[in-house]
Amino acid sequence: MPDTLDPEIASRLKRDDHGLVAAIVQQHDTGEVLMLGWMDDEALRRTLTTGRVTFWSRSRGEYWRKGDTSGHQQYVKSVAIDCDGDALLVRVDQVGAACHTGERTCFLAGGDLPAVVGSRPEVAP
Amino acid sequence: MPDTLDPEIASRLKRDDHGLVAAIVQQHDTGEVLMLGWMDDEALRRTLTTGRVTFWSRSRGEYWRKGDTSGHQQYVKSVAIDCDGDALLVRVDQVGAACHTGERTCFLAGGDLPAVVGSRPEVAP
C-alpha cells in the first residue's frame, strides 16, 4: 500500500487554510446523507486504500476511523471529487448510526430549521 | 421579512475562521447529492426566508443565488442542521444542471477516484 496520496489526486485537491477538504458521507443504496467530515491528504489516502472511511478530527487534532470506538463502521463503496476539488462525496455502507448521538444521521440529530418552501413556476400546458 | 438571522438559529452555528458553514445540496426526491456550497448567516437567512438557495462565494467574495445567471434555480424544500452546527443539508428541487460545468452534479463533473471497496464482515447464519 502506498504511504502517500497519489500525486495526481493530490494535485486536484483545493484544501482550506487547515489543509482540509469537506467529505460528504452518503449511504450508497438509500441516498441518505449521513454526515459531513473533514479529510486531509492522509485521511483521503487511508479512505481510498483501506475500504474504511478515515477523517481528520479538527477538534481533537487526530485521525479517526469511523466505527473504531462506536462499532458503526463506514465501508467505502465509492469516492467522487467535485468539479473544483474542495469537496468529496463518499458513498458508504454504514453500520448502525452514523451520528455520535445515536441517530442514524447527523442531520436527523440536529433537525430541520424553519424554512419557506420554494417551487418552480408553473408552466402553462 | 426579518433582516437578520433568527438569533436562536445563529447561536447553533459553528462557523469556520471565515464565518462560514458547509451547505450540502441534495435533490429532495432522488437523493442525488448535487453540490457543496458555503453560507454565512446572511446567506442562510436568505435561504430560509425566500424559497431560493443563496450561497457566499469564497472566490468572488459575494452572495450568489443559484440560477440567477444560469437559469438553474434551486428551490428550497427543507433545511436541516447537523448535530454540531457546522453543516447544513439543503434539500431542493434543482432546475437543470447543478454544476457550472453543465453536469447534473458537481461530483459527476469531478468523477470517481480509484478506491478499494470495503464490505461489512459476513455473519454466520
Side-chain angles (χ1 to χ4, degrees):
Chain A
M1 184 184 310
D3 60 1
T4 56
L5 181 63
D6 179 334
E8 196 276 322
I9 295 172
S11 72
R12 297 179 62 186
L13 296 179
K14 197 170 83 184
R15 306 166 193 80
D16 71 10
D17 301 343
H18 303 283
L20 302 173
V21 296
I24 303 165
V25 183
Q26 182 181 35
Q27 174 68 25
H28 72 105
D29 47 3
T30 65
E32 295 166 284
V33 176
L34 300 169
M35 58 174 288
L36 182 82
W38 301 91
M39 293 186 188
D40 65 2
D41 287 34
E42 173 62 12
L44 176 56
R45 183 192 71 77
R46 295 185 191 185
T47 298
L48 291 174
T49 57
T50 66
R52 291 272 303 274
V53 181
T54 294
F55 300 101
W56 176 256
S57 169
R58 299 185 300 174
S59 55
R60 297 193 305 275
E62 63 183 19
Y63 296 104
W64 62 287
R65 198 169 69 154
K66 189 76 185 178
D68 280 352
T69 54
S70 64
H72 296 158
Q73 295 87 355
Q74 292 174 340
Y75 293 102
V76 174
K77 297 302 176 187
S78 65
V79 181
I81 188 168
D82 78 348
C83 54
D84 64 0
D86 71 348
L88 302 166
L89 177 60
V90 185
R91 292 192 183 88
V92 304
D93 183 20
Q94 171 72 55
V95 175
C99 186
H100 74 286
T101 61
E103 290 275 3
R104 172 70 176 168
T105 86
C106 294
F107 299 97
L108 287 171
D112 279 356
L113 301 176
V116 172
V117 172
S119 295
R120 56 179 86 194
E122 297 284 340
V123 176
Chain B
M1 181 184 312
D3 60 2
T4 57
L5 181 64
D6 179 334
E8 195 277 320
I9 295 172
S11 72
R12 297 179 62 185
L13 296 179
K14 196 170 82 184
R15 305 166 193 80
D16 71 10
D17 300 343
H18 303 284
L20 302 174
V21 296
I24 303 164
V25 183
Q26 182 182 35
Q27 175 67 26
H28 72 105
D29 47 5
T30 65
E32 294 165 286
V33 175
L34 300 169
M35 58 175 288
L36 182 82
W38 301 91
M39 293 185 187
D40 64 2
D41 287 35
E42 172 62 12
L44 176 57
R45 183 192 71 77
R46 295 184 191 186
T47 298
L48 291 174
T49 56
T50 66
R52 291 273 302 276
V53 180
T54 294
F55 300 101
W56 175 257
S57 170
R58 299 185 300 174
S59 55
R60 297 193 305 276
E62 63 182 21
Y63 295 105
W64 62 286
R65 198 169 68 155
K66 189 76 185 176
D68 280 352
T69 55
S70 64
H72 295 158
Q73 295 86 356
Q74 292 174 338
Y75 294 102
V76 174
K77 296 301 175 187
S78 65
V79 181
I81 188 169
D82 78 347
C83 54
D84 64 359
D86 72 348
L88 301 166
L89 177 60
V90 185
R91 292 193 182 86
V92 304
D93 183 19
Q94 171 71 54
V95 176
C99 186
H100 74 285
T101 62
E103 290 275 3
R104 172 68 175 169
T105 85
C106 293
F107 299 98
L108 287 172
D112 277 357
L113 301 176
V116 172
V117 172
S119 294
R120 55 179 86 194
E122 297 284 340
V123 178

